[in-house]
Amino acid sequence: MPSQKLKFTLPYCALVGLLATPAVAQDAVRVSGFGTVSVIDSGTEDFGFKYDLSKEGLYGESSLKPGSALGLQLNATITDNIDAVVQGILQDRIENDLDKSITWAFLRYKFSPNLSFRVGRIASPLYMLSEYRDVGFAYLWTKPITDFYSAIPVSSINGADVAYRYSLGDGILETRFFGGQTDISIETINDPYEVTLGPMFGTKVTYEVDDWYFSGSATTTKVKEGDPSVSITSDLSDIPDFLWPTLPTMLDDFGFVDTRISYYSLGTAYESGNWNVQAELSYTDTDWPFFPDLAAGYTSVGRVFNRFTVFGFLSKAKSVGEYYETPPPPATSLAIPEIAGAFNLIDQNLKARIVNQETLGIGLRYDVNANVALKGQMERTWLLDDRIGGWSTTVRGLTAPVPDYIDTYSVSLSFVF
């Protein structure tokens, strides 16, 4: 199938191009790396801390798995205009294999110092941390801010992009256009599901001036393959229409394939010798009932004292717009236990996907040296209106009492080499 050809060809084009070019000099190849060893303690018996959609939740326990990673990157200059980059990251994922561990693998051609083209597996330019989301040393916190980043499973795409940089006033403006597709794993209450998004098209604009950085992006895609909702709807097609007349329409509404998803973000950062300020806003627009439109944002402030940096942040994520109302079967059909159970399970799953939470976090970073940082962080997340969509949940959690708040503690040691 065409999608499989794209999947297995583009991610490795940079590596194949590099191996097929014997003219690469040894001193033109540079190997670097990064890593994070992180312990996170969070969640309750029924509501699990969600690092992101590709990882299992933490249900009232401490674990090294979600936040720890080890990455290795190879940069090779092939000619004056062509270079290759391959990056691999070992970390815990719901579905893990070699293909998912290769996060970047692209060839880049520089038409000029200001204009470049990349093809292969590239970082998805959706947000401010696109190029270093897994490089814990590159940001203040122990982990990307959960309210903002946990709902973004896309870290790379198989495709191409073109970028143009030029001077504007006292700063540098970069405009980037990209396209491709990506395969992601999504955690559900039952089993994880593989989903293919594509074609994906978008643009990102950044502006750097003095100590300031500004960014904005807009991306749209469709679901090409995969439907997590079948885990709770697969047995419903056998129910006769007269027992649940609205069921066929509802199942059609639940179909994930061909659903349009659009993502928009704005960000800004200020970094001087003593201060680090960063803020992002995002909006996710989707037509799938199990993922209502989502608005998210955060503001982070850090103050440097020699090798120490004290920081704090406020963040919020909230489902917005109209929520899908599950059309119930007739009252007579609800008397049938199997139908009543199916209706309640679907309705509870839909409501469990709604997000409304706020987080206050504080932390301390200590730069051991130029390559190593030790960080600690405490945060409290308030679950407003009993909404649990920002957390993983068990089947029992669908009807369990919702706590007013959940605390998360994390410590990390990040390094680059």
Side-chain angles (χ1 to χ4, degrees):
M1 297 192 307
S3 61
Q4 292 298 312
K5 183 178 180 181
L6 181 67
K7 176 179 178 180
F8 288 108
T9 301
L10 285 178
Y12 305 106
C13 67
L15 184 58
V16 172
L18 177 61
L19 295 177
T21 310
V24 176
Q26 184 175 359
D27 58 0
V29 177
R30 182 171 60 88
V31 178
S32 58
F34 55 88
T36 298
V37 179
S38 175
V39 178
I40 301 175
D41 184 285
S42 186
T44 70
E45 188 176 359
D46 296 305
F47 305 110
F49 169 80
K50 187 188 297 182
Y51 190 96
D52 64 41
L53 294 177
S54 69
K55 301 178 185 294
E56 296 180 348
L58 283 182
Y59 290 90
E61 59 181 329
S62 298
S63 177
L64 285 164
K65 289 184 177 181
S68 298
L70 178 63
L72 193 66
Q73 182 170 316
L74 183 149
N75 294 67
T77 301
I78 299 173
T79 71
D80 289 342
N81 296 325
I82 301 174
D83 70 317
V85 179
V86 178
Q87 182 188 93
I89 299 179
L90 298 176
Q91 60 180 318
D92 184 66
R93 302 177 181 91
I94 294 175
E95 298 289 338
N96 222 340
D97 54 32
L98 177 62
D99 182 67
K100 287 184 172 57
S101 296
I102 298 176
T103 49
W104 297 354
F106 62 82
L107 287 171
R108 174 167 43 205
Y109 182 81
K110 297 179 181 178
F111 296 93
S112 71
N114 295 329
L115 179 63
S116 63
F117 172 79
R118 299 188 299 181
V119 61
R121 177 166 294 178
I122 59 178
S124 53
L126 304 183
Y127 38 82
M128 288 180 63
L129 302 190
S130 293
E131 301 289 337
Y132 53 92
R133 180 173 175 174
D134 294 307
V135 186
F137 185 83
Y139 43 79
L140 285 181
W141 329 294
T142 57
K143 55 185 175 53
I145 292 178
T146 306
D147 287 344
F148 190 88
Y149 281 98
S150 66
I152 309 174
V154 180
S155 59
S156 59
I157 62 174
N158 301 329
D161 70 357
V162 59
Y164 182 65
R165 294 170 59 89
Y166 51 96
S167 298
L168 181 65
D170 295 328
I172 300 295
L173 182 70
E174 179 182 274
T175 303
R176 185 180 299 272
F177 298 95
F178 59 92
Q181 75 174 38
T182 187
D183 297 291
I184 59 175
S185 300
I186 296 179
E187 182 193 23
T188 69
I189 291 177
N190 297 317
D191 299 313
Y193 269 78
E194 291 286 314
V195 173
T196 299
L197 303 178
M200 178 184 293
F201 298 103
T203 183
K204 183 178 183 180
V205 178
T206 62
Y207 184 61
E208 299 177 65
V209 57
D210 297 327
D211 298 324
W212 289 91
Y213 175 88
F214 303 92
S215 74
S217 72
T219 307
T220 187
T221 187
K222 277 191 172 183
V223 178
K224 190 172 185 178
E225 297 177 4
D227 190 346
S229 67
V230 300
S231 63
I232 60 173
T233 62
S234 57
D235 297 331
L236 299 181
S237 56
D238 295 333
I239 298 177
D241 289 351
F242 72 89
L243 290 177
W244 198 340
T246 57
L247 181 59
T249 300
M250 183 179 70
L251 293 179
D252 186 62
D253 292 339
F254 288 169
F256 198 32
V257 175
D258 289 331
T259 295
R260 171 71 62 182
I261 302 173
S262 298
Y263 181 82
Y264 310 92
S265 72
L266 291 172
T268 185
Y270 171 81
E271 187 169 0
S272 67
N274 295 322
W275 291 97
N276 181 301
V277 182
Q278 185 167 316
E280 282 189 270
L281 295 171
S282 69
Y283 184 82
T284 306
D285 182 8
T286 177
D287 297 326
W288 196 43
F290 287 92
F291 197 114
D293 293 356
L294 181 68
Y298 70 86
T299 299
S300 170
V301 178
R303 179 67 164 86
V304 180
F305 300 93
N306 295 321
R307 291 189 178 187
F308 291 91
T309 303
V310 179
F311 63 87
F313 63 86
L314 292 169
S315 60
K316 183 176 179 65
K318 188 179 190 304
S319 298
V320 295
E322 296 183 358
Y323 306 139
Y324 189 88
E325 295 291 336
T326 313
T332 52
S333 298
L334 283 174
I336 302 174
E338 291 78 9
I339 294 180
F343 169 74
N344 289 330
L345 181 62
I346 291 173
D347 191 56
Q348 290 162 0
N349 269 271
L350 286 169
K351 292 177 179 177
R353 295 292 299 166
I354 298 174
V355 179
N356 189 7
Q357 61 186 47
E358 299 173 346
T359 300
L360 170 64
I362 58 173
L364 180 67
R365 170 178 174 141
Y366 174 64
D367 285 281
V368 180
N369 55 44
N371 300 97
V372 180
L374 178 63
K375 296 179 280 187
Q377 185 170 302
M378 300 182 296
E379 53 198 288
R380 172 163 292 185
T381 301
W382 287 269
L383 284 64
L384 308 178
D385 301 325
D386 291 337
R387 299 304 190 184
I388 61 174
W391 300 77
S392 300
T393 183
T394 62
V395 173
R396 186 179 63 181
L398 294 174
T399 55
V402 178
D404 293 332
Y405 60 85
I406 299 177
D407 292 330
T408 300
Y409 306 93
S410 52
V411 177
S412 71
L413 181 69
S414 299
F415 52 90
V416 293
F417 59 90

